[in-house]
């Protein structure tokens, strides 16, 4: 089993050296969040997850969740670690202080999520879903509901879910059939079946607070007739304590490819009492608040999986001796050289590194902007940050999860036959991370969100939050000789992104299928250019720090940047070519011939 | 569960219309192998596999193999179907007639392997490994051994294995420690432990014939001191019947990511009696005969997985209604449109189609050349064919298995949440096919075989078997206006392949790490150009057949070719860029910084 060590040095490099920690600390409520304080939280969360959460990962995979006579249990050991995790407050780092949370920056929450995702992602779903549900309640529910539910969700005594999918509708929630009928007292009576409910039932928390999409009587058809309801598994009495069961039962748990430590439930509502969250028929809007948090969270699952695979791969490649270097034995005293002498193994190790470190920078960047969107006193800056997060959310979700799968598969490949054997731990990462490309909107849906909604929004205003800084940076560095190789390649790929954007906007206006046909390739191109921009900046920062005592770290950054530009970024050309070929070849194909 | 239907029409298109069936039928011993006879075998094998083998797939995954007090059993149902499969002769279609086989063309064997791989790949390992072992025995063993062992392996009464890997050596077989000591009667006594032995033990056959790499006393170190031995699980008496156990035991079976229906065993040899196959210290050469058959067989596993995923994806995408076409409802009477209206879903379906049909053409082409290499009376033609097969074997193995994984993952993606649930069958394809990228030489080893051995062999002679026909075809079609879009793109990507070849040969001479650094990208580039050449030829053939009554089929070929050229082949540019960037960025990285 590979052993994960929290990459605190790299996390700090991104936060302290690439981003602007002083701007975060200047936001109202974050005054105490100095880099030192953030380092202390990372140390604490890191050691807890390494020691307590990590061992759950294989237990969860092997022992799995159980479902017996309607009772759902998380795998052995999960409950004790969950209690300890919540006891340390690791579940409510970013939750509002008024309900008992710690009110720390989102970017710190992201860092901790990365650690949890790398040690036991299935464990992470329980606090993760609660977090999403709390966000939706906080943003849209009445004060009364907030005061009753948020404090106990903040401590982890109660957990939360998102109940969206039904057997016949996943992406297309407008077809949702779960019904909500009004009671006399202003509450609602919900009936229907939801499927694929992560953390839908389990034995970690005293109560489970479901956020449920449902249709009220006479509601308009489709998406415009959906409302959001809060439905506790167990009724909550006026004194805030739990009372009788509430007509919410688990009908079955799913048998999945992976993520065995996380329960995925069929949840049946039979005249369950619920309370509307937000405005009637505006459930999708309230739901999207929860969903957007969740999408960034899922992106982080991809990042964490990539880091876990990367560390495991390095450990194995350094340890396993097999074959000789092509240029002659490197370890003549031993019967073979380590795998690290083989160029193709190095290609995989460096791909894991370049993508993971690049995505870490990307994820933390978006997270700091989310902090600005929430807290910055300057309205214009808040708006800019919100635009940026809106633009980047689908990109982070799709790209980071696609990469999580790809890098985990590289891990299996580096381990060779051992990678395929369960006890070595690599194949589990592949199975676990695979769901992240699907849930909270498939990656195809993310791509469509990007080209169909985000590109055109406010006459392309969202794009400026990325295009302007890149333009400015290219201008600023154009005379820098040390950066010249990076500069040329970034300018070229950025030019492709700009032209692809123009092509899609223009073509897509006449025929939306043209935008759809380009969407996935465009999202990938956008992500590659984003990472190129970040890698060039990280290289620049590192060049300036050489000779100051940490050359191993900074030279590795520069070298990884070079690898990224030379061996990964060329994909931008292929993506550009595919986009410009247009969608005819896929739309004209005769359906009967499939 | 998706239902597989043997793609007989497409198999026949490739064999009858793209390749030259009359040349195969003209080979000595194949006189009866008319296209009609081949169609009859495909019909028979197809219906048997659809009805009997396919249902084993999920049983094998769920029930798995068992290991109890040293006894290994295949999953329930496997034995009965295996007996019937062998009873029909489906296990020995291509085996030599002198030992009871049917002596039919390799290309027909490939077609049947594709069907088995698409219906239950785990089942296919049992006859598949036997086939590989028989090839090695036939090529290198004494007449006596052949006469004793081949007839019963041909009927399937006995099965076979390849025992190569040991705990400390997989790729690097020179480190093999299993020992063979001479007995007085010319036989040998083998002791040691082998791991990852597919079909290493099971209850399908009466005896299991292991082909074992081992070291004789005083043998040179490394690869040059390895010999190959035939070691039966149960001793064989002089009358050819089985006798006493032979010191061959199964120590454990592995718990794997997938392929649960196939036993993967630790096999212990304790003074087991064995017989040398071929010359002492030349075991690797004899082993490679077995390995090369196996590599093509593994490529076909990738092809079969891709086809199974493709068919399942089409079935689901046509059936599942979700969302509306971007251009307005296509099924206004229903609550939603089928998934096939969404451009991004079509992109995935067409990628599955273009790659699978292209790989089918590629696999059958290589297989017919293998028939020529074995049977053609013209020595020069035999040599050419053998050169071609040598060049293409690593490419088919790595590319087709990489694509098997990729297309199966697309299948999961098309199914969305249901793709992640075991009972829907898609995720099993992903787990099962994953091993094919690893065993019989990881795909990185295939790439190294290509650049390190095949490129330079006989001054580049192997390459001519591909470069000359492509050159000639480009010349021949340069005035053909209907083919012009294909012509330009093929010429461009072929030019890249030629320049990349020159770059690698030149750079690799000065520094072998440069060849290694380029190897995987180069193999992929080679495969993409090969498929481009085949797709252009298939499009040309199809254009000529339009208007003759099967336009749905032929137009789909032309349209799929277009999709391939526009939306897949552009990757050749990115690969070219990466290769020409050289290997410095991966070789110069400081190992301590990993």
């Amino acid at each position: 089993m590979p052993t994960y060590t929290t990459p605190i040095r790299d996390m700090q490099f991104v936060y302290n050296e690439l981003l602007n920690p002083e701007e975060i600390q200047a936001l109202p409520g974050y005054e105490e969040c100095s880099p030192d304080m953030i380092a202390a939280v990372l140390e604490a969360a890191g050691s807890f997850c390494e020691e307590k959460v990590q061992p759950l990962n294989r237990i969860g995979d092997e022992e799995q969740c159980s479902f017996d006579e309607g009772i759902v249990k998380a795998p052995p050991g999960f409950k004790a670690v969950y209690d300890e995790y919540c006891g340390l407050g690791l579940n409510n780092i970013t939750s509002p202080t008024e309900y008992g949370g710690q009110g720390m920056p989102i970017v710190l929450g992201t860092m901790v999520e990365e650690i949890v995702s790398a040690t036991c992602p299935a464990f992470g779903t329980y606090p993760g879903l609660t977090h999403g549900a709390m966000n939706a309640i906080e943003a849209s529910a009445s004060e009364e509901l907030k005061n009753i539910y948020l404090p106990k969700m903040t401590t982890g005594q109660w957990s939360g879910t998102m109940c969206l999918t039904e057997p016949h509708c996943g992406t297309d929630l407008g077809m949702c059939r779960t019904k909500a009928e009004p009671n006399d007292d202003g509450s609602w009576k919900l009936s229907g079946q939801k499927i694929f409910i992560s953390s839908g039932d389990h034995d970690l928390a005293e109560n489970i607070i479901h956020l449920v999409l449902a249709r009220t009587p006479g509601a308009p058809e489709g998406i415009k007739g959906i409302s959001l309801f809060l439905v506790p598994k167990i009724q909550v009495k006026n004194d805030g304590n739990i009372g009788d069961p509430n007509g919410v039962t688990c009908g079955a748990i799913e048998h999945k490819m992976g993520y065995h430590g996380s329960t995925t439930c069929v949840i049946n509502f039979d005249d369950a009492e619920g309370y509307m969250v937000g405005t009637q028929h505006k459930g999708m809007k309230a739901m999207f608040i929860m969903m957007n948090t969740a999408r960034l969270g899922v992106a982080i699952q991809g990042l964490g999986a990539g880091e876990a695979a990367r560390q495991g791969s390095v450990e194995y490649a350094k340890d396993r001796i097999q074959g000789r270097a092509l240029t002659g034995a490197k370890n003549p005293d031993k019967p073979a050289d380590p795998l690290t002498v083989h160029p193709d193994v190095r290609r995989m190790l460096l791909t894991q590194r370049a993508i993971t470190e690049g995505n870490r920078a990307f994820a933390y960047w978006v997270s700091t902007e989310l902090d600005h969107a929430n807290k910055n006193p300057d309205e214009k800056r808040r708006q800019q940050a919100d635009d940026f997060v809106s633009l980047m959310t689908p990109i982070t979700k799709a790209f980071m999860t696609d990469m999580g799968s790809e890098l985990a598969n590289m891990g299996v490949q580096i381990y060779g036959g051992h990678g395929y054997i369960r006890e070595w731990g690599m194949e589990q990462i592949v199975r676990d991370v695979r769901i992240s490309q699907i849930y909270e909107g498939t990656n195809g849906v993310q791509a469509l969100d990007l080209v169909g909604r985000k590109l055109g929004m406010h006459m392309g205003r969202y794009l400026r939050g990325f295009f302007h800084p890149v333009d400015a940076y290219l201008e600023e560095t154009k005379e820098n000789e040390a950066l010249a190789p990076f500069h040329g390649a970034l300018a070229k790929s950025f030019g492709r992104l700009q032209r692809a954007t123009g092509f899609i906007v223009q073509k897509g206006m006449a025929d939306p299928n043209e935008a759809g046909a380009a969407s996935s390739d465009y999202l990938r191109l956008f992500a590659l250019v984003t990472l190129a921009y970040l890698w060039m900046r990280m290289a620049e920062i590192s060049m300036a720090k050489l000779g100051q005592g940490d050359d191993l770290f900074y030279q590795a950054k520069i070298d990884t940047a070079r690898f990224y530009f030379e061996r990964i970024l060329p994909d931008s050309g292929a993506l550009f070519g595919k986009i410009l070929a247009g969608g005819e070849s896929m739309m004209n194909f005769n359906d009967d011939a499939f």
Side-chain angles (χ1 to χ4, degrees), chain A:
Chain A
M1 295 291 294
T3 315
Y4 170 84
T5 308
T6 310
I8 291 185
R9 176 69 184 94
D10 198 58
M11 291 173 156
Q12 289 185 312
F13 170 77
V14 172
Y15 187 65
N16 295 338
E17 301 174 59
L18 174 68
L19 302 174
N20 298 303
E22 63 289 351
E23 286 187 6
I24 296 297
Q25 203 178 344
L27 295 174
Y30 291 171
E31 296 80 0
E32 291 176 17
C33 298
S34 66
D36 282 352
M37 198 273 258
I38 284 184
V41 175
L42 287 180
E43 296 277 357
S47 18
F48 182 80
C49 288
E50 289 164 22
E51 287 162 30
K52 301 289 176 83
V53 176
Q54 184 163 224
L56 298 179
N57 201 38
R58 192 156 143 75
I59 294 171
D61 192 48
E62 293 292 329
E63 308 276 336
Q64 312 202 6
C65 302
S66 65
F67 177 70
D68 191 21
E69 297 189 358
I71 306 296
V72 184
K73 287 188 178 166
F78 273 52
K79 167 75 177 146
V81 176
Y82 176 79
D83 288 345
E84 217 177 325
Y85 184 86
C86 296
L88 290 170
L90 290 171
N91 66 320
N92 61 26
I93 291 176
T94 63
S95 305
T97 49
E98 60 186 301
Y99 303 106
Q102 299 174 68
M104 287 198 272
I106 303 286
V107 63
L108 180 56
T110 294
M111 294 177 191
V112 174
E113 278 176 34
E114 183 195 325
I115 302 170
V116 176
S117 296
T119 46
C120 183
F123 175 82
T125 53
Y126 300 97
L129 268 293
T130 306
H131 189 61
M134 286 166 66
N135 282 347
I137 294 170
E138 199 205 338
S140 309
S142 66
E143 285 306 312
E144 195 190 345
L145 287 176
K146 288 188 204 178
N147 288 326
I148 296 172
Y149 289 92
L150 289 179
K152 290 196 175 175
M153 293 176 81
T154 301
T155 61
Q157 188 178 350
W158 295 353
S159 69
T161 79
M162 299 163 53
C163 294
L164 281 47
T165 303
E166 300 184 6
H168 61 287
C169 66
T171 298
D172 187 358
L173 293 168
M175 293 199 285
C176 154
R177 290 179 196 150
T178 296
K179 282 191 176 134
E181 295 184 330
N183 293 324
D184 295 340
D185 63 357
S187 69
W188 298 76
K189 202 160 56 181
L190 279 94
S191 295
Q193 187 178 63
K194 296 287 181 178
I195 64 166
F196 298 165
I197 308 308
S198 299
S199 312
D201 203 358
H202 54 79
D203 59 342
L204 303 187
E206 180 193 67
N207 202 359
I208 300 174
I209 313 307
H210 300 285
L211 286 172
V212 185
L213 289 184
R215 191 176 291 285
T216 52
E221 293 239 324
I223 219 88
K224 290 174 183 164
I226 306 286
S227 307
L228 185 67
F229 296 88
L230 183 159
V231 186
K233 175 184 170 186
I234 303 173
Q235 289 183 346
V236 175
K237 294 187 290 191
N238 288 339
D239 62 4
N241 290 318
I242 55 171
D244 295 327
N246 189 28
V248 181
T249 52
C250 175
I253 60 173
E254 304 287 352
H255 300 281
K256 308 177 303 257
M257 182 183 194
Y259 241 48
H260 295 155
S262 166
T263 58
T264 303
C265 302
V266 174
I267 298 287
N268 296 314
F269 297 92
D270 301 297
D271 289 342
E273 188 169 301
Y275 316 96
M276 192 176 281
V277 173
T279 315
Q280 192 166 2
H281 304 162
K282 300 286 182 199
M284 291 301 288
K285 200 182 154 199
M287 191 273 294
F288 261 107
I289 290 169
M290 177 162 69
M291 187 69 114
N292 275 328
T293 318
R295 283 182 175 172
L296 186 57
V298 173
I300 305 308
Q301 288 173 7
L303 171 61
E307 176 66 28
R310 187 193 76 73
Q311 290 194 21
S313 300
V314 167
E315 195 177 315
Y316 187 80
K318 284 185 163 179
D319 186 57
R320 173 86 170 172
I321 58 168
Q322 202 76 187
R324 289 295 184 191
L326 296 170
T327 46
K330 282 274 171 79
N331 275 355
D333 305 341
K334 293 198 177 161
D337 291 337
L339 291 186
T340 47
V341 302
H342 302 298
D344 196 59
V345 171
R346 300 176 77 86
R347 175 185 64 80
M348 293 190 276
L349 292 173
L350 281 160
T351 302
Q352 289 177 323
R353 186 179 189 90
I355 296 289
T356 301
E357 293 182 3
N359 274 344
R360 179 171 296 126
F362 188 12
Y364 295 3
W365 182 21
V366 175
S367 301
T368 54
E369 289 300 304
L370 198 47
D371 280 316
H372 283 290
N374 290 342
K375 300 266 185 183
N376 202 296
D378 176 356
E379 192 189 331
K380 198 178 149 208
R381 179 72 182 85
R382 266 206 318 277
Q383 184 64 57
Q384 279 175 347
D386 195 62
D387 286 0
F388 181 78
V389 172
S390 297
L391 173 69
M392 290 302 194
T393 296
I395 301 174
T396 59
K397 195 280 184 183
F399 182 68
M400 293 192 195
T401 60
D402 280 353
M403 290 301 105
S405 275
E406 193 163 321
L407 304 187
N409 268 304
M410 280 186 182
V412 168
Q413 202 64 22
I414 290 168
Y415 273 60
H418 295 97
Y420 198 65
I421 307 294
R422 292 173 71 109
E423 66 179 294
W424 288 77
M426 271 290 135
E427 62 84 38
Q428 187 189 340
I429 306 178
V430 173
R431 287 185 292 107
D432 284 354
V433 76
R434 186 65 185 82
I435 188 59
S436 67
Q437 297 170 276
I438 298 170
Y439 66 7
E440 311 310 339
T442 64
N443 287 355
V445 167
Q446 305 300 324
L448 211 54
D449 178 45
L450 176 64
V451 300
R453 297 182 64 248
K454 306 299 169 63
L455 281 201
M457 197 71 87
H458 307 299
M459 307 289 289
R461 191 183 79 199
Y462 286 5
L463 284 173
R464 292 199 285 274
F466 179 71
F467 284 11
H468 284 184
V470 177
D471 252 340
Y473 184 62
L474 285 169
E475 182 61 27
E476 175 195 327
T477 52
K478 69 180 177 189
E479 313 281 338
N480 186 326
E481 278 185 30
L483 290 173
F486 300 125
H487 191 281
L490 175 61
K492 192 170 173 183
S493 63
F494 181 54
R496 286 169 176 154
L497 177 63
Q498 289 174 306
R499 277 184 290 158
T501 306
F503 176 84
I504 291 170
V505 169
Q506 198 183 7
K507 280 271 209 173
M509 275 201 269
D511 178 2
N513 280 330
E514 281 292 336
S519 58
S520 282
D521 290 331
Y522 178 74
L523 185 148
R524 176 65 61 93
L525 174 61
F526 210 124
L528 290 178
V529 174
T530 306
L531 259 61
Y533 166 64
L534 291 167
W535 267 119
M536 181 168 158
R537 289 191 50 207
M538 293 194 284
E540 183 189 17
I541 292 164
S542 299
M543 285 172 184
K545 304 243 172 130
L546 285 180
Q548 296 175 28
D550 199 2
D551 280 10
L552 189 67
F553 180 85
Y554 291 111
Q555 189 60 50
K557 278 279 171 220
I558 299 164
D559 293 344
T560 308
R562 181 180 169 195
F563 178 84
Y564 180 82
F565 274 84
E566 291 185 4
R567 309 286 307 202
I568 297 177
L569 189 58
D571 282 336
S572 63
L575 293 162
F576 182 64
K578 293 176 193 188
I579 293 166
L580 262 66
E584 248 184 56
S585 68
M586 54 189 97
M587 298 317 297
N588 282 2
F589 191 87
N590 188 334
D591 280 18
D592 294 332
F594 267 128

